[in-house]
Amino acid sequence: MKELQYDAVVIGGGAAGMAAALEFDAAGFSCAIIEREDHLGGILMQCIHNGFGLHEFSEELTGPEFAERFIDGVTKSKIAVYLDATVTDFNVAGSALSGGQAAAYHELFCVSPNGVLRIKSRAVVLAMGCRERNRGNVRIPGSRPAGVFTAGLAQRLVNIEGYIPGREIVIIGSGDIGLIMARRMSWVGCTVKAVVEIMPYPAGLTRNIVQCLRDFDIPLYLSSQTTSIFGNDRVEGVEVTPMENGVLALEKRFRIDCDTVLLSVGLAPENELSKAAGVEINSATNGPLVDSRLMTNVDGVFACGNVLHVHDLVDWVAEESRRAGRCAVEWLRGERPALQFRAKAGSNVRYVNPTRIDPRRDNQIYLRSMVVKNDAVLELRLNNRVIRSIKHNHVQPSEMINLSVGPKELEKLNPGMESVLEFSIV
Ligand SMILES: Cc1cc2nc3c(=O)[nH]c(=O)nc-3n(C[C@H](O)[C@H](O)[C@H](O)COP(=O)(O)OP(=O)(O)OC[C@H]3O[C@@H](n4cnc5c(N)ncnc54)[C@H](O)[C@@H]3O)c2cc1C
């Protein structure tokens, strides 16, 4: 077994991992990225459509172009990159401190082309991304024929491997990957017969509904459940049943013939490793619970990107991950916040990240609405007193809301350890 040691190890070499790792390098700390694929870039490498980087670079890039900007930075840095290397085990250290510096070492085990690596590190950044929910997760009844794929797998087959998985497609779920794939499958000559969504509103971004469905005349059935998949060896069709007042209107069910079903029914942060290491998970996001520094309940273990919560735009992943890297650098230097108090989701808000606020710094907050609402107001209440109201023309669950809460507005209110900042949509 090869023994290695770094100040920081980043698990995952997608946008999140690279953005965090570059901060360690810039601060002069030794750092390694461990990536299980044979290349850096993560999910971006199969997203060959444009729409990336509008906030980060003020340009419209494809996924690989966005990734390339970070890969170039990593290549020019002193960051050690281990590819084809999977972290399989993670033992967290105690939180012993010596002279204001973090002294305890975490221990990661990694299977690589050079055998098993045992890597000691003072700080660890979790950046393992997320994975797609599948048919088992959403329990679609019917037979078990070939021809059922998750949308991301179909995207990889078409864009990377060069295979077309079928000809007549029905997409279940209206998440962004499914919408992007509706357009992609149309471009490669397939017929996309429908997108079927159980909720009364789409799960994906509005821009993707317009550019990927409306522009291609692909029908979107909202409030509709896929109640069966038909076919023996290969998919032959699906049964769709409209929902009325939350109940299946069985008399209105209909069949759509197809040979392929793509599932776009949600993403789940990839946290098996985190859980095994004792990292506490937020039941609202399925990602780690983090404080104002994006540090988990385990000292020196930080999380960012899709492993923390599923993001809509990679630009926010990059922002958050740089912040996680910077906070981890401060932690390595022995800096600790004097005070952090609680942030929580109030009415109509599904979650708030992070769940702790440091009144002395700019806290970048990401949250998701639970409702679709026009003329909405995001209300911030500190200890039940409204401290800010922000108007939003429109809010919906698929679009993340972000805002900054800083010392200017917090310090004069003199919050204490027991204070609570609540975010509500009214
Ligand atoms: C189909 C699709 C379309 C999208 N469209 C857009 C768009 O138009 N515009 C936009 O801004 N954003 C878009 N996004 C979102 C954006 O691409 C992602 O939010 C972002 O790239 C996620 O970055 P990440 O680093 O958190 O995760 P990932 O890119 O998933 O990276 C995680 C990495 O961790 C590695 N890993 C996991 N576990 C281990 C382990 N145990 N050991 C070693 N390595 C491990 C994985 O191999 C992976 O490379 C889209 C996403 C998808 C899937």
Side-chain angles (χ1 to χ4, degrees):
M1 195 183 313
K2 204 170 167 189
E3 311 261 344
L4 299 158
Q5 188 171 315
Y6 297 93
D7 293 318
V9 169
V10 178
I11 311 176
M18 291 190 287
L22 286 166
E23 294 297 320
F24 292 110
D25 188 67
F29 285 103
S30 64
C31 172
I33 297 177
I34 317 289
E35 169 55 55
R36 68 181 169 198
E37 297 284 345
D38 62 2
H39 56 265
L40 292 172
I43 196 73
L44 287 170
M45 302 316 251
Q46 66 181 60
C47 300
I48 61 170
H49 57 283
N50 59 3
F52 297 81
L54 287 168
H55 300 272
E56 178 77 11
F57 299 113
S58 303
E59 278 181 68
E60 200 171 357
L61 304 172
T62 62
E65 285 171 331
F66 186 99
E68 194 184 358
R69 308 250 168 136
F70 285 87
I71 294 171
D72 283 350
V74 171
T75 310
K76 287 182 197 134
S77 74
K78 293 203 184 89
I79 299 167
V81 178
Y82 296 88
L83 297 175
D84 274 328
T86 305
V87 177
T88 52
D89 211 353
F90 173 19
N91 296 328
V92 302
S95 56
L97 296 176
S98 119
Q101 292 278 317
Y105 282 87
H106 301 297
E107 195 180 45
L108 298 152
F109 291 89
C110 170
V111 180
S112 82
N114 298 322
V116 176
L117 311 178
R118 180 173 165 201
I119 311 177
K120 286 168 85 183
S121 171
R122 290 197 286 151
V124 171
V125 177
L126 307 172
M128 292 92 77
C130 59
R131 61 164 177 259
E132 296 180 283
R133 296 174 77 213
N134 57 34
R135 183 174 176 181
N137 297 127
V138 289
R139 300 196 182 116
I140 304 169
S143 54
R144 302 264 155 207
V148 181
F149 302 84
T150 59
L153 173 59
Q155 184 180 51
R156 188 184 170 109
L157 288 175
V158 176
N159 292 351
I160 309 260
E161 317 283 345
Y163 295 113
I164 296 176
R167 288 284 161 201
E168 302 207 306
I169 321 285
V170 168
I171 299 176
I172 301 179
S174 59
D176 285 311
I177 313 179
L179 301 178
I180 297 285
M181 283 313 287
R183 178 175 65 182
R184 186 77 182 110
M185 298 311 279
S186 305
W187 274 338
V188 296
C190 301
T191 306
V192 180
K193 298 234 171 140
V195 174
V196 182
E197 169 60 56
I198 195 168
M199 299 301 283
Y201 48 81
L205 296 171
T206 307
R207 74 178 195 202
N208 286 336
I209 296 289
V210 175
Q211 294 169 9
C212 304
L213 299 190
R214 282 191 207 144
D215 288 358
F216 291 81
D217 290 328
I218 297 170
L220 169 63
Y221 295 99
L222 294 173
S223 300
S224 297
Q225 193 169 330
T226 309
T227 37
S228 196
I229 294 179
F230 305 116
N232 291 322
D233 296 332
R234 179 79 195 189
V235 171
E236 289 166 12
V238 298
E239 179 186 76
V240 177
T241 308
M243 310 215 19
E244 288 176 358
N245 303 318
V247 178
L248 289 171
L250 291 173
E251 69 287 359
K252 294 188 180 164
R253 69 193 148 171
F254 58 95
R255 177 181 167 129
I256 308 175
D257 289 333
C258 61
D259 59 28
T260 302
V261 169
L262 302 188
L263 300 173
S264 181
V265 290
L267 300 163
E270 178 94 47
N271 274 303
E272 275 58 39
L273 203 56
S274 327
K275 285 184 208 160
V279 169
E280 236 179 279
I281 300 295
N282 182 341
S283 58
T285 58
N286 289 318
L289 267 170
V290 287
D291 67 11
S292 65
R293 302 164 288 180
L294 303 178
M295 189 164 99
T296 67
N297 62 309
V298 180
D299 268 2
V301 177
F302 297 76
C304 55
N306 278 353
V307 82
L308 178 58
H309 55 135
V310 175
H311 290 64
D312 51 358
L313 298 181
V314 70
D315 305 65
W316 311 140
V317 168
E319 180 285 317
E320 180 180 87
S321 306
R322 267 197 298 273
R323 193 154 35 94
R326 280 197 299 271
C327 290
V329 161
E330 288 171 10
W331 187 85
L332 283 170
R333 288 180 178 144
E335 294 169 30
R336 302 291 181 265
L339 163 73
Q340 298 190 73
F341 61 88
R342 219 174 125 213
K344 74 168 198 178
S347 32
N348 295 328
V349 172
R350 187 150 73 82
Y351 71 80
V352 174
N353 235 340
T355 52
R356 294 265 151 190
I357 303 279
D358 177 348
R360 290 180 320 165
R361 72 185 321 149
D362 271 323
N363 298 270
Q364 192 66 36
I365 307 286
Y366 289 101
L367 58 94
R368 276 192 196 264
S369 170
M370 258 187 329
V371 292
V372 179
K373 196 170 187 327
N374 291 328
D375 300 322
V377 175
L378 174 64
E379 220 171 59
L380 278 62
R381 285 172 176 266
L382 183 67
N383 300 331
N384 284 325
R385 196 179 122 207
V386 177
I387 61 163
R388 205 199 305 176
S389 298
I390 308 161
K391 284 189 183 157
H392 285 264
N393 293 339
H394 180 79
V395 293
Q396 62 186 56
S398 59
E399 297 191 6
M400 246 165 52
I401 299 173
N402 64 22
L403 71 151
S404 173
V405 187
K408 245 194 193 161
E409 93 189 286
L410 289 176
E411 273 183 340
K412 61 177 187 287
L413 298 166
N414 204 17
M417 289 285 280
E418 302 304 317
S419 293
V420 179
L421 185 60
E422 186 173 274
F423 298 77
S424 303
I425 290 175
V426 292

